[in-house]
Amino acid sequence: MRCRRQRSRLSHAPGAFRISRGREIFSRKAGVEIPQDETATPNPSRQLREEILKINELAAAFFHDTLLTGRESEVKAARDYLKGRGVSLETVNKFQLGFAPNEWDALLKYLRSKGISEELIFKAGLIIAREGKSGYYDRFRNRIVFPITDVQSRFVAFGARAMQDSDGAKYINSPETPVYTKGQHLFGLQLTKTAVGKLDQTIVVEGYMDMIMPYIHGVENIAASLGTALTVDQIRLIRRYTPNVVMLFDTDAAGQSAIVRSLDLLIDEGMNVRVATLAQDEDPDSFIRQQGLQAFAARVESAQSILDFKFNWLAGQYDPKTVEGKAKISQELLSTIARFKNEVAKYELTKLLAQMLNIPEGVLLKQASQAKSQQPPFKEPAAEIKVSGSASASAGQELLLALFLRDPAWVKAAREHIGPDDFSDGARQVVDVLWSLNQETNEWSTNDVLMRIKDESAQSLVTRLISIEEGKLIDPARVFQDCIGKIQSEKQKKARGRLVEAIRQAEALKDTEKLGQLKEQFNQLLK
């Protein structure tokens, strides 16, 4: 286990340096961030970035001071909530936790009093333009605020937790700005990077409290992915300090699927990965509060290999005792094994998989060899995602849903072109929920979706779609355009079919007036 109670700190070396390979390794082990030389090539957006960072710093201080000194009932409720979760004043200060007042423009007024223009505050993502009206209102209201920093401890974004169900999505986050790109940062890493480098391991969890509670109990080498599957940028950020990762996500479907989606990327980036598991309805926050540091350490030490974890996950979907189940599991896992760059590792993992499935290893080795030799030549990603043909209608709907689940912005864009009724029965239930969430907030998570869906088949569809291969969505704009076009085409095709049938009935009844109306509608539809 890589948990220690004693904390050590190293001050940042001043100045800007160019990093050689040797110094990069040293900085990783020492936990010292060596900044890049930003003065060598002038950046036209650098001034805007600096201004937004200063605005974020003021906003963080405003939220923090509100939580510490506010006398309103909502602020007191927020303090009581944090105290009930075991968050002390020391922890509030260390993470600069805050509270956004239950007002439409409290932060906006504060920042304007500091001489900051609405245009800059908007660019920082802290306010939202009023629809159909002039002016702005605060993005975060009546929420506990978790500042998100980069590894240099600069405030780049904010996450905010709702205090009441009526406040919309449980968590909302800053939009992308000149200083913040979703999927490029890890919550808490600015505090733990030194220990990560020294202990040569990172424990990656999902959410804010999943990181905070283990950390204050003595787990120093931990960071949070902010509730999503790890991205390539996050993985490369971790790799600055260590190549060794233990994934510890929630046991719900969304958490487990996020791990599965991360595994192949971690392998591609040459990381050494294990997966720690918790019991049903447990998360790192509740587990360490109830069972303590020693039990947490034991759970991390007993983390599974990639092969074991993914085999157990697939065995929950396909019966490994059946021919069909063995075929599906072997196909999925051989695809993962093929990502390893070391041929010896591939060979040994394939042998282990043969034992798990009770299949002669020669059979799997042959299958792996055939799969490698039969791989098609490289094609541009956009060519792989083209949706065409009548058999692709459902596939197009699912790709579009997968896009919605990855980025809520696509839901807003889609509502201008299609509606829930344009989807098949299974997908329609999911779309109804997505449309409803989009009306309430600009930010929501997969968990928010799953909590509102009652039908098990629809829940299974969401779980499957959040695990969809990244390659199918590598060009989201093209996926969106193709899928919307296909859905609209199918919609028109069905409408024409209904009109043709109605025209036939009108002809049979010799209803000339209705026949004329229907033919006019048909001609309009063809335009």
Side-chain angles (χ1 to χ4, degrees):
M1 172 62 187
R2 308 302 178 96
C3 304
R4 293 185 179 178
R5 292 184 180 275
Q6 296 299 320
R7 299 191 174 95
S8 61
R9 291 178 173 82
L10 293 174
S11 61
H12 294 295
F17 301 85
R18 293 189 181 279
I19 304 176
S20 66
R21 178 58 181 163
R23 295 176 70 184
E24 181 180 358
I25 295 172
F26 170 79
S27 68
R28 187 190 77 192
K29 295 299 181 183
V32 180
E33 180 69 15
I34 304 179
Q36 298 285 346
D37 182 0
E38 294 184 352
T39 62
T41 54
N43 187 341
S45 63
R46 185 177 179 184
Q47 182 178 353
L48 175 61
R49 287 172 51 83
E50 291 299 326
E51 289 175 337
I52 290 177
L53 287 171
K54 289 177 182 177
I55 293 170
N56 285 346
E57 187 174 359
L58 286 171
F62 172 80
F63 292 138
H64 185 58
D65 184 65
T66 300
L67 179 63
L68 294 180
T69 64
R71 296 184 177 182
E72 294 80 5
S73 59
E74 298 91 347
V75 185
K76 292 179 180 178
R79 289 197 291 261
D80 289 341
Y81 169 82
L82 290 171
K83 185 177 180 181
R85 294 286 295 267
V87 178
S88 65
L89 178 60
E90 178 186 3
T91 303
V92 168
N93 288 329
K94 182 177 286 293
F95 287 90
Q96 286 291 291
L97 303 185
F99 186 79
N102 189 21
E103 301 174 28
W104 282 102
D105 56 358
L107 177 63
L108 176 58
K109 288 179 178 177
Y110 172 76
L111 292 176
R112 280 194 306 213
S113 74
K114 298 295 182 181
I116 302 171
S117 69
E118 290 183 343
E119 181 183 4
L120 274 176
I121 303 171
F122 178 75
K123 288 181 179 179
L126 293 169
I127 55 177
I128 298 172
R130 297 182 182 275
E131 291 188 11
K133 301 179 182 178
S134 61
Y136 301 87
Y137 60 93
D138 289 355
R139 179 177 297 275
F140 306 114
R141 304 180 307 280
N142 195 32
R143 289 173 177 266
I144 296 172
V145 177
F146 297 82
I148 300 168
T149 74
D150 61 15
V151 290
Q152 295 175 330
S153 297
R154 299 177 300 188
F155 297 104
V156 295
F158 300 90
R161 188 192 193 283
M163 293 300 298
Q164 302 174 6
D165 292 340
S166 59
D167 290 331
K170 184 177 180 181
Y171 282 96
I172 61 174
N173 300 297
S174 294
E176 294 197 353
T177 70
V179 301
Y180 175 69
T181 300
K182 186 177 179 181
Q184 287 190 348
H185 303 276
L186 289 155
F187 180 76
L189 188 59
Q190 80 281 3
L191 297 173
T192 63
K193 61 186 180 182
T194 298
V196 166
K198 284 187 174 181
L199 300 175
D200 201 18
Q201 182 192 75
T202 306
I203 301 168
V204 179
V205 293
E206 282 186 90
Y208 305 103
M209 296 302 294
D210 291 331
M211 183 273 162
I212 290 173
M213 294 312 297
Y215 177 77
I216 65 177
H217 280 78
V219 183
E220 293 188 295
N221 56 323
I222 190 169
S225 67
L226 302 177
T228 62
L230 283 174
T231 66
V232 171
D233 288 329
Q234 287 175 321
I235 294 168
R236 290 174 180 172
L237 178 59
I238 294 171
R239 200 174 59 193
R240 292 186 194 177
Y241 308 99
T242 179
N244 302 309
V245 174
V246 174
M247 302 288 289
L248 180 59
F249 279 26
D250 289 357
T251 53
D252 59 24
Q256 297 300 288
S257 294
I259 291 179
V260 172
R261 287 162 52 197
S262 301
L263 292 182
D264 286 351
L265 287 179
L266 285 159
I267 297 170
D268 289 343
E269 293 299 317
M271 306 292 277
N272 304 316
V273 193
R274 293 185 298 137
V275 181
T277 55
L278 298 171
Q280 190 67 32
D281 298 326
E282 282 183 340
D283 55 44
D285 168 20
S286 63
F287 182 87
I288 201 162
R289 283 191 289 116
Q290 295 169 9
Q291 302 195 39
L293 178 64
Q294 189 173 355
F296 187 93
R299 192 60 57 92
V300 172
E301 286 294 338
S302 63
Q304 297 175 304
S305 69
I306 287 178
L307 188 66
D308 287 334
F309 170 79
K310 195 164 184 179
F311 178 88
N312 291 332
W313 185 78
L314 289 167
Q317 303 176 60
Y318 313 105
D319 186 353
K321 295 180 181 179
T322 65
V323 174
E324 294 80 6
K326 287 184 178 184
K328 189 63 177 177
I329 292 172
S330 65
Q331 179 184 354
E332 293 278 350
L333 283 174
L334 285 175
S335 175
T336 294
I337 292 171
R339 292 178 177 270
F340 283 84
K341 295 178 176 62
N342 187 288
E343 293 298 326
V344 174
K346 291 181 185 179
Y347 176 75
E348 292 298 328
L349 289 170
T350 304
K351 288 173 61 178
L352 286 173
L353 177 58
Q355 295 173 17
M356 292 175 172
L357 292 171
N358 194 25
I359 295 173
E361 64 183 54
V363 174
L364 277 189
L365 290 170
K366 182 178 180 181
Q367 183 179 342
S369 177
Q370 289 176 341
K372 184 176 181 180
S373 64
Q374 293 173 1
Q375 283 182 338
F378 175 79
K379 294 181 180 180
E380 288 295 328
E384 296 294 324
I385 58 174
K386 183 70 176 177
V387 181
S388 59
S390 58
S392 298
S394 61
Q397 291 184 18
E398 291 192 358
L399 277 178
L400 196 58
L401 280 178
L403 199 63
F404 293 162
L405 293 168
R406 275 166 168 72
D407 188 346
W410 292 113
V411 175
K412 184 176 181 180
R415 292 183 65 174
E416 299 177 5
H417 305 282
I418 57 175
D421 290 341
D422 296 324
F423 290 79
S424 59
D425 290 342
R428 188 183 301 131
Q429 297 180 55
V430 181
V431 176
D432 281 334
V433 170
L434 295 177
W435 259 231
S436 176
L437 281 169
N438 181 254
Q439 288 182 315
E440 298 171 13
T441 178
N442 292 325
E443 293 281 346
W444 38 263
S445 68
T446 308
N447 278 336
D448 294 322
V449 178
L450 289 170
M451 287 175 64
R452 297 196 181 197
I453 296 175
K454 306 303 180 185
D455 182 71
E456 290 186 5
S457 62
Q459 289 179 341
S460 298
L461 175 62
V462 171
T463 302
R464 178 164 59 82
L465 291 179
I466 60 179
S467 305
I468 199 168
E469 295 175 12
E470 295 289 338
K472 293 183 178 180
L473 300 173
I474 199 169
D475 186 349
R478 180 69 178 275
V479 171
F480 181 83
Q481 181 181 1
D482 286 347
C483 292
I484 291 291
K486 184 62 183 176
I487 290 173
Q488 289 178 328
S489 176
E490 287 294 317
K491 183 178 181 179
Q492 290 183 344
K493 183 179 177 181
K494 290 179 180 178
R496 288 196 299 269
R498 288 192 295 268
L499 280 173
V500 167
E501 181 60 29
I503 288 171
R504 287 174 180 169
Q505 292 180 5
E507 287 176 339
L509 295 173
K510 297 182 180 180
D511 188 339
T512 55
E513 181 179 354
K514 187 174 182 180
L515 185 61
Q517 294 174 351
L518 290 171
K519 286 184 176 180
E520 177 62 25
Q521 292 178 31
F522 188 83
N523 291 331
Q524 290 293 326
L525 197 62
L526 291 177
K527 291 182 179 179

